[in-house]
Amino acid sequence: MNFCSECGEKVNREIPQGDNRLRDVCNNCHLIHYENPKVVTGCIPEWENKILLCKRAIEPRYGLWTLPAGFMENGESNREGAVRETVEEANAKLTNMTLFSVFSIAHINQIYTMYRGELVGGKASAGIESLEVALVEEKEIPWEEIAFKVIEENLKLYYQDKATGTFTTHYGELLKLDNERFEVNYF
Amino acid sequence: MNFCSECGEKVNREIPQGDNRLRDVCNNCHLIHYENPKVVTGCIPEWENKILLCKRAIEPRYGLWTLPAGFMENGESNREGAVRETVEEANAKLTNMTLFSVFSIAHINQIYTMYRGELVGGKASAGIESLEVALVEEKEIPWEEIAFKVIEENLKLYYQDKATGTFTTHYGELLKLDNERFEVNYF
């Protein structure tokens, strides 16, 4: 941030009075510009013994498989955001949604919330951000072609819970160790 | 938002190509300024048969009781944010934290995440944003003096779960009906 979004003057990087962090501060209109983590919200759409995956038509991770998810918008609930993303990426309707996981990914300032939801009628097709969609059983999951670590973790947890017959809500933290490796801790 | 925070030119409120929502768009440097919900994170600190409440020393809701909670910062996990807020507001340390609830409050563009955590040594004192802190049993909860509806709901859920002996992670949505009344739905 270089300029104050309210008055247009240059901002200063400084610690405001009573604070202990560097912020972008406008010394003209005295606004403090806070920056906060963003929420990504999505779903594991379920149909009979299968779940819905989407093949990405956009970067990053073009051509790899993911679950419907995207940045939550103002004015919608967390659950409604997951519904919207599933419409956009897979032309698919969801019902009976329950919160399945919350992941914190501090190095990219993101919270990832994922729901389980029933895919209405088992119907889906590729939206504009997907090359194709597929309803797959566990043995068909392309584990080596999953777009994001957080999605891989959700899929692992999903099949662990499914095996026990009891789904719970998980909280995990992803730490990036290097370009290839992550540490995952559950609390 | 009036000015582009990158280049300082006036922004336009328009729907970018390929989008379906009004955004603040800079037609000089072509940056689209997205606005997204913010995350508030906090904790129900537990000690023996009591929990820790804080009496607010700041507006809004000066003088009313709440749980330690505040806006999540960049660079920290959701759980770490709850730990930090509990230090700031109650000079208290937490351990053994588990995610207790996620609330969506769409009309103010907030997600509220609350943990249960063990209050180390049962020790706490008022931080700068608190007038006082108190360890209270269920029968001592000042239900008529709780600062926020989302906190009241968390306390209700907490004692419901405690009564059954099984704590789960809850997801709820708060809808504001008017200045006095909320609708709460659980999924």
Side-chain angles (χ1 to χ4, degrees):
Chain A
M1 169 170 265
N2 301 312
F3 298 92
C4 176
S5 54
E6 282 310 297
C7 76
E9 286 298 306
K10 283 216 92 166
V11 291
N12 252 358
R13 194 80 180 156
E14 60 187 65
I15 300 176
Q17 207 184 353
D19 201 340
N20 53 18
R21 284 168 194 255
L22 283 167
R23 315 276 184 190
D24 292 313
V25 177
C26 178
N27 290 314
N28 182 51
C29 75
H30 305 294
L31 199 67
I32 303 167
H33 297 275
Y34 296 95
E35 287 175 294
N36 304 91
K38 290 191 196 300
V39 180
V40 176
T41 187
C43 192
I44 304 174
E46 300 173 296
W47 174 250
E48 293 172 350
N49 201 34
K50 299 177 176 180
I51 64 168
L52 184 75
L53 295 180
C54 302
K55 195 172 192 173
R56 287 174 66 81
I58 50 171
E59 293 293 352
R61 315 289 180 160
Y62 178 98
L64 296 182
W65 292 91
T66 192
L67 292 163
F71 286 109
M72 195 183 158
E73 299 273 7
N74 278 353
E76 69 187 5
S77 79
N78 189 248
R79 177 189 56 89
E80 289 163 349
V83 169
R84 176 184 49 72
E85 289 291 338
T86 306
V87 170
E88 288 176 9
E89 298 182 5
N91 297 308
K93 285 186 192 164
L94 296 168
T95 187
N96 293 331
M97 293 173 75
T98 53
L99 183 61
F100 179 62
S101 73
V102 176
F103 276 88
S104 226
I105 317 178
H107 71 279
I108 51 171
N109 302 315
Q110 283 183 9
I111 297 289
Y112 235 91
T113 58
M114 294 298 288
Y115 290 77
R116 289 190 305 122
E118 190 184 323
L119 179 61
V120 176
K123 287 181 192 163
S125 62
I128 196 156
E129 294 179 8
S130 306
L131 295 171
E132 59 178 297
V133 297
L135 274 168
V136 295
E137 291 184 20
E138 182 175 4
K139 63 177 188 288
E140 300 167 315
I141 299 280
W143 291 105
E144 301 305 312
E145 296 168 51
I146 302 298
F148 303 105
K149 180 66 176 172
V150 66
I151 299 299
E152 183 190 324
E153 285 299 307
N154 270 285
L155 294 172
K156 277 192 210 167
L157 290 174
Y158 178 79
Y159 287 112
Q160 277 173 23
D161 279 9
K162 197 160 186 269
T164 68
T166 307
F167 287 97
T168 58
T169 307
H170 305 270
Y171 172 73
E173 297 183 357
L174 250 65
L175 293 173
K176 191 172 186 171
L177 300 177
D178 57 38
N179 279 340
E180 299 279 319
R181 294 176 311 135
F182 289 87
E183 184 178 311
V184 189
N185 296 301
Y186 290 99
F187 296 87
Chain B
M1 169 171 265
N2 301 311
F3 298 93
C4 176
S5 54
E6 281 311 295
C7 77
E9 286 298 306
K10 283 216 90 165
V11 292
N12 251 357
R13 195 80 181 157
E14 59 187 66
I15 300 175
Q17 209 184 351
D19 201 340
N20 53 19
R21 282 167 195 256
L22 284 167
R23 315 277 185 190
D24 292 312
V25 177
C26 178
N27 290 314
N28 182 52
C29 74
H30 305 295
L31 199 67
I32 302 167
H33 297 275
Y34 295 96
E35 287 176 292
N36 304 91
K38 291 191 196 299
V39 180
V40 175
T41 187
C43 191
I44 304 173
E46 300 172 297
W47 174 250
E48 295 171 350
N49 201 35
K50 298 178 176 180
I51 65 167
L52 185 75
L53 296 180
C54 303
K55 195 172 191 173
R56 288 175 65 82
I58 52 171
E59 293 293 351
R61 315 288 179 162
Y62 178 98
L64 296 182
W65 292 91
T66 192
L67 292 162
F71 285 109
M72 195 182 156
E73 298 274 7
N74 278 353
E76 69 186 5
S77 79
N78 189 248
R79 178 189 54 90
E80 288 163 349
V83 169
R84 177 184 49 73
E85 288 290 338
T86 307
V87 170
E88 290 177 7
E89 298 183 4
N91 296 308
K93 286 186 191 165
L94 296 169
T95 187
N96 293 331
M97 293 173 75
T98 53
L99 183 61
F100 179 63
S101 73
V102 176
F103 276 88
S104 227
I105 317 179
H107 71 278
I108 51 171
N109 302 314
Q110 283 184 7
I111 297 289
Y112 236 91
T113 59
M114 294 296 290
Y115 290 77
R116 288 191 304 123
E118 189 184 322
L119 179 61
V120 177
K123 286 182 193 162
S125 62
I128 195 155
E129 294 179 6
S130 306
L131 295 171
E132 57 178 297
V133 297
L135 275 168
V136 296
E137 291 184 20
E138 183 176 3
K139 64 177 187 289
E140 299 166 316
I141 299 281
W143 292 106
E144 301 305 313
E145 295 168 51
I146 301 298
F148 304 107
K149 179 67 176 172
V150 66
I151 299 299
E152 182 190 325
E153 285 299 307
N154 269 285
L155 294 172
K156 277 191 210 167
L157 291 173
Y158 178 80
Y159 287 111
Q160 278 172 24
D161 279 10
K162 197 160 186 269
T164 69
T166 306
F167 288 97
T168 59
T169 306
H170 305 270
Y171 172 72
E173 298 183 356
L174 250 65
L175 293 173
K176 190 173 186 171
L177 300 178
D178 56 39
N179 279 340
E180 297 280 319
R181 294 175 312 134
F182 289 87
E183 184 179 309
V184 190
N185 295 301
Y186 289 99
F187 297 87

